[in-house]
């Protein structure tokens, strides 16, 4: 079907023009009327008759709506020549609507001058209807373009925010890993300090602890008796010295243990303070990083919100300007036609 090559709204406009020239509602118009349509659309009117010979099977000089569409389609293809950009197509579609409106206005003025007021009224009603639809179409087209622009901006901002959060998550993960390594390193240091202290304190404590003069005297007497071969007396002295040494060793062990406990307690306190200071520093830095993240996030969100608001303001201004421009463009048709008729 030929009509499949035209958009539905364009077919609707073609039908309105066709109906205007189909005065008796017979579903057909004379070829002379078609020549007038061609001339008003800025096309060669002679082509109407030559194309009709190709398309009209019965050659009765009448053109049905399907033949009418086929003729317009054939002329359209002759004029296209090459492909156009989307923006050029939109301008071409808009120019066609303006051509239709101009044709309707010319026809209305013609009917009005001839006193055919019923036809003039029909032309005026169709003119107003087409103008309203064209205004809505252009505004809807602009609205869709603006919504697409806004959604594109919002998608870009969402991606930017996701990247921002990923970067910060990665940074905080590295920070936590570094903090964990610092704690582990400190623990290893504390273990080594403890081992070194125990060895040192034990050795120093043992040096400080000495046996009594009484015990030393008994051991000396024991040796003398043994050299004199007074073994019974030497054994008695040895037993007495062993008993005394055991008592003194127990006392000395308590003293050494007390010294070690004092030193260990002091070291543990120092280590706890060092650990608490490190944890405090880690938490302080963590809070500082979180604060920076929140500030950067707020700035980014505010900046993006301002960009969106600026775009909305710009789009609102564009919408008003476009509406005014559409009204002026469509209104200029009547002005131009009045100027021509007055001239």
């Amino acid at each position: 079907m030929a009509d499949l090559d035209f958009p539905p709204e364009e077919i609707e406009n073609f039908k309105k023009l066709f109906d205007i020239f189909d005065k008796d509602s017979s579903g057909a118009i004379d070829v002379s009327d078609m020549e007038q349509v061609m001339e008003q659309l800025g096309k060669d009117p002679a082509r109407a008759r030559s194309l009709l010979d190709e398309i009209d099977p019965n050659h009765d000089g009448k053109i049905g709506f399907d033949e009418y569409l086929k003729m317009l389609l054939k002329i359209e293809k002759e004029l296209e020549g090459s492909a156009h950009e989307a923006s050029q197509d939109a301008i071409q579609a808009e120019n066609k609507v303006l051509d239709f409106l101009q044709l309707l206005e010319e026809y209305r003025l013609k009917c009005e001058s001839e006193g055919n007021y019923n036809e003039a009224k029909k032309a005026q009603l169709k003119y107003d209807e087409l103008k309203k639809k064209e205004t809505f179409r252009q505004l809807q087209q602009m609205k869709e373009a603006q919504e697409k622009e806004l959604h594109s901006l919002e998608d870009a901002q969402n991606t930017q925010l996701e990247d921002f959060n990923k970067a910060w998550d990665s940074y905080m993960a590295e920070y936590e890993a570094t903090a964990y390594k610092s704690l582990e390193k400190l623990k290893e240091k504390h273990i080594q300090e403890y081992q070194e202290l125990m060895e040192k304190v034990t050795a120093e404590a043992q040096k400080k602890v000495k046996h009594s003069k009484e015990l030393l005297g008994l051991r000396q007497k024991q040796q003398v008796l043994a050299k004199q071969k007074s073994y019974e007396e030497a054994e008695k002295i040895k037993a007495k010295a062993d008993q005394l040494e055991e008592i003194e060793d127990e006392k000395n062990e308590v003293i050494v243990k007390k010294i070690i406990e004092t030193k260990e307690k002091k070291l543990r306190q120092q280590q706890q303070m060092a650990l608490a200071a490190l944890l405090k520093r880690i938490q302080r830095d963590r809070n500082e990083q979180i604060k920076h993240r929140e500030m950067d996030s707020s700035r980014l969100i505010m900046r993006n919100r301002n960009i969106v608001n600026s775009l909305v303001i710009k789009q609102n201004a564009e919408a008003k300007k476009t509406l005014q421009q559409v009204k002026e463009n469509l209104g200029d048709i009547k002005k131009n036609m009045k100027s021509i008729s007055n001239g």
Side-chain angles (χ1 to χ4, degrees):
M1 291 292 291
D3 58 335
L4 294 179
D5 292 276
F6 291 110
E9 63 273 11
E10 195 166 343
I11 293 174
E12 184 181 352
N13 292 332
F14 283 138
K15 186 66 169 67
K16 289 174 183 177
L17 282 174
F18 184 86
D19 290 342
I20 289 175
F21 289 96
D22 182 16
K23 298 181 178 63
D24 57 0
S25 301
S26 63
I29 63 175
D30 292 334
V31 69
S32 60
D33 292 328
M34 187 61 190
E35 289 175 343
Q36 184 180 353
V37 172
M38 301 288 287
E39 185 176 6
Q40 296 297 336
L41 291 177
K43 309 189 186 300
D44 183 7
R47 287 292 290 140
R49 193 169 293 277
S50 63
L51 286 172
L52 182 62
D53 291 337
E54 298 176 21
I55 296 170
D56 185 11
N58 50 23
H59 302 286
D60 59 358
K62 294 286 187 179
I63 303 170
F65 185 62
D66 285 343
E67 295 165 342
Y68 169 79
L69 285 178
K70 288 178 182 178
M71 291 177 69
L72 291 178
L73 177 64
K74 198 168 185 66
I75 293 170
E76 194 73 26
K77 288 183 176 179
E78 288 176 358
L79 293 176
E80 280 180 358
S82 59
H84 297 282
E85 297 292 334
S87 59
Q88 292 175 321
D89 291 339
I91 293 171
Q92 187 180 41
E94 182 179 342
N95 289 338
K96 287 179 182 178
V97 174
L98 295 176
D99 289 341
F100 284 130
L101 287 172
Q102 183 173 347
L103 181 58
L104 283 169
E105 182 61 12
E106 289 178 0
Y107 181 72
R108 184 191 68 79
L109 291 172
K110 178 183 177 184
C111 293
E112 182 181 297
S113 65
E114 294 174 352
N116 191 351
Y117 300 125
N118 286 333
E119 288 297 319
K121 183 178 179 180
K122 288 181 183 179
Q124 180 63 45
L125 291 174
K126 291 184 181 295
Y127 179 94
D128 293 339
E129 180 185 357
L130 182 57
K131 179 179 177 181
K132 182 178 179 181
K133 286 186 176 181
E134 175 59 13
T135 301
F136 176 79
R137 184 192 70 79
Q138 290 195 34
L139 293 179
Q140 186 66 22
Q141 188 178 42
M142 180 200 62
K143 181 181 177 182
E144 290 173 358
Q146 288 184 339
E147 287 178 351
K148 183 178 180 181
E149 182 183 20
L150 185 59
H151 289 158
S152 177
L153 175 62
E154 289 174 345
D155 289 343
Q157 290 183 346
N158 289 335
T159 300
Q160 183 187 39
L161 187 59
E162 287 177 5
D163 293 341
F164 170 85
N165 287 327
K166 285 179 182 178
W168 263 105
D169 289 342
S170 176
Y171 176 79
M172 291 305 296
E174 291 179 3
Y175 175 80
E176 294 298 336
T178 302
Y180 177 79
K181 289 180 181 179
S182 298
L183 288 172
E184 289 299 305
K185 188 175 181 180
L186 182 62
K187 289 178 181 178
E188 292 175 1
K189 179 183 177 184
H190 285 175
I191 292 172
Q192 185 177 357
E193 286 178 346
Y194 177 79
Q195 292 174 346
E196 291 175 355
L197 179 68
M198 290 303 99
E199 293 175 2
K200 181 179 178 181
V201 170
T202 301
E204 290 178 351
Q206 288 175 348
K207 287 181 181 180
K208 290 181 180 179
V209 176
K210 296 180 180 179
H211 289 115
S212 64
K213 291 182 179 180
E214 180 183 0
L215 176 59
L216 293 174
L218 288 173
R219 291 299 183 193
Q220 186 176 10
K221 187 175 181 180
Q222 171 191 331
Q223 291 175 359
V224 170
L225 289 173
K227 288 180 180 179
Q228 293 174 353
K229 297 184 176 54
S230 299
Y231 296 122
E232 279 187 33
E233 290 297 323
E235 184 64 31
K236 290 178 182 179
I237 296 299
K238 179 179 179 298
K240 186 177 179 180
D242 289 343
Q243 185 178 10
L244 181 58
E245 185 175 357
E246 184 178 353
I247 293 172
E248 288 187 1
D249 284 345
E250 288 179 356
K251 290 181 179 180
N252 290 337
E253 185 177 349
V254 171
I255 293 171
V256 170
K257 186 177 180 181
K258 188 174 181 180
I259 293 172
I260 292 174
E261 287 178 350
T262 302
K263 294 288 186 179
E264 181 182 2
K265 183 178 179 181
K266 184 177 180 181
L267 176 64
R268 292 296 187 190
Q269 288 177 342
Q270 292 174 345
Q271 290 180 341
Q272 286 296 328
M273 289 175 63
L275 179 60
L278 178 59
L279 289 171
K280 184 177 180 180
R281 186 167 63 253
I282 289 173
Q283 187 59 43
R284 181 195 65 205
D285 293 343
R286 181 186 291 118
N287 292 338
E288 192 69 23
Q289 298 304 329
I290 292 173
K291 181 179 178 182
H292 282 308
R293 177 174 184 168
E294 290 173 349
M295 290 173 61
D296 290 346
S297 177
S298 297
R299 278 196 292 264
L300 178 60
I301 292 172
M302 182 60 68
R303 173 179 170 274
N304 288 345
R305 187 179 296 134
N306 290 337
I307 291 174
V308 170
N309 290 338
S310 297
L311 178 61
V312 170
I313 292 171
K314 180 176 77 73
Q315 288 183 342
N316 289 337
E318 288 175 349
K320 291 179 181 179
K321 184 178 179 180
T322 300
L323 178 59
Q324 184 65 29
Q325 188 67 44
V326 170
K327 288 181 178 179
E328 289 177 359
N329 290 342
L330 298 180
D332 284 344
I333 294 173
K334 282 186 175 291
K335 292 180 182 178
N336 293 337
M337 293 308 301
K338 284 182 181 179
S339 298
I340 294 172
S341 61
N342 291 334

